[in-house]
Amino acid sequence: MNVIAYSWLAVLLCAALLSGCAGIEPHSSGEFVKSVYFSPLDTFRYERSETGGMQWRDSERSLTEALSERVLSEELAARGFTQVDQSADFYVLAKWQKRLSTHSGFFDHIDGASARITDSRDPDYRPVVRYNLVVEIYQTASDTLFWRADLPNLFDATQYTEDRVVASLRRAIRDFPPRVEKDLSLPNFQ
């Protein structure tokens, strides 16, 4: 092959590699951490929001707690689960932390990988306070954790907005499955 053919081959390989990377979405760390019989889970309750780590302003804390309850409850209801006050099949916790972080992972930031690239090019890039979110779901009968999403370094403390909090919560619950529709005509083996 001649030099022109090798050049075209190199250009095509680079284009294929870059187009493959362009479609990569940030991962959600939401996953089952324990086996659970999922089909009887029909109802939920929002247990509480926890905020910790570095100092929170009162307005941030109350807004974050209210948004956590509202968004997670809406997302679970959209998946077919019914919210109840008592005797729920499972309950949900949201745990927010403000921590000093020296770096964020490539896909951690709520604004996507481009925000991470911009941060690392900044000559003043230094450790900053970032928000971290953990959403946990527990089976009520056994009080055991069965699903968890851990999202570190979502955004810098100076970037706090209602939209970022809502987007973070939706990203955390994104991989939680919908309610299992039961077919009553099938036999019940218990």
Side-chain angles (χ1 to χ4, degrees):
M1 289 175 125
N2 61 21
V3 174
I4 295 174
Y6 282 119
S7 299
W8 276 106
L9 182 60
V11 168
L12 288 173
L13 287 174
C14 287
L17 178 66
L18 291 174
S19 67
C21 291
I24 296 175
E25 283 193 31
H27 63 84
S28 173
S29 298
E31 62 186 357
F32 285 93
V33 295
K34 183 180 185 306
S35 296
V36 64
Y37 188 46
F38 197 74
S39 66
L41 301 179
D42 294 324
T43 60
F44 75 95
R45 79 174 188 273
Y46 188 82
E47 183 70 17
R48 70 182 177 276
S49 301
E50 297 176 3
T51 54
M54 300 185 91
Q55 186 72 29
W56 286 72
R57 290 191 310 252
D58 289 338
S59 60
E60 273 182 346
R61 182 184 309 272
S62 61
L63 179 62
T64 301
E65 290 172 354
L67 288 173
S68 296
E69 180 173 3
R70 184 188 61 137
V71 171
L72 292 173
S73 295
E74 286 173 357
E75 290 293 320
L76 290 169
R79 285 168 174 74
F81 298 100
T82 304
Q83 187 170 8
V84 296
D85 293 330
Q86 300 291 324
S87 302
D89 298 322
F90 64 93
Y91 63 91
V92 183
L93 297 173
K95 299 176 181 180
W96 288 91
Q97 290 281 319
K98 282 173 73 170
R99 286 189 240 145
L100 188 64
S101 175
T102 56
H103 72 283
S104 59
F106 200 67
F107 292 112
D108 290 346
H109 202 285
I110 196 66
D111 294 333
S114 63
R116 173 66 178 102
I117 292 169
T118 303
D119 282 350
S120 63
R121 287 185 187 158
D122 182 357
D124 294 330
Y125 185 64
R126 61 194 174 283
V128 297
V129 176
R130 291 192 173 91
Y131 285 88
N132 303 270
L133 171 63
V134 174
V135 173
E136 294 178 336
I137 300 180
Y138 291 79
Q139 190 171 17
T140 304
S142 60
D143 200 32
T144 55
L145 173 70
F146 71 89
W147 193 89
R148 178 184 168 104
D150 189 357
L151 301 174
N153 303 315
L154 287 164
F155 53 90
D156 297 356
T158 58
Q159 298 173 318
Y160 182 93
T161 63
E162 183 176 334
D163 290 341
R164 287 180 197 279
V165 172
V166 169
S168 299
L169 290 159
R170 287 190 176 139
R171 180 171 162 191
I173 199 74
R174 177 179 64 194
D175 291 339
F176 191 74
R179 186 173 142 278
V180 174
E181 292 290 335
K182 299 170 192 76
D183 186 349
L184 298 176
S185 66
L186 295 174
N188 187 1
F189 299 102
Q190 290 202 21

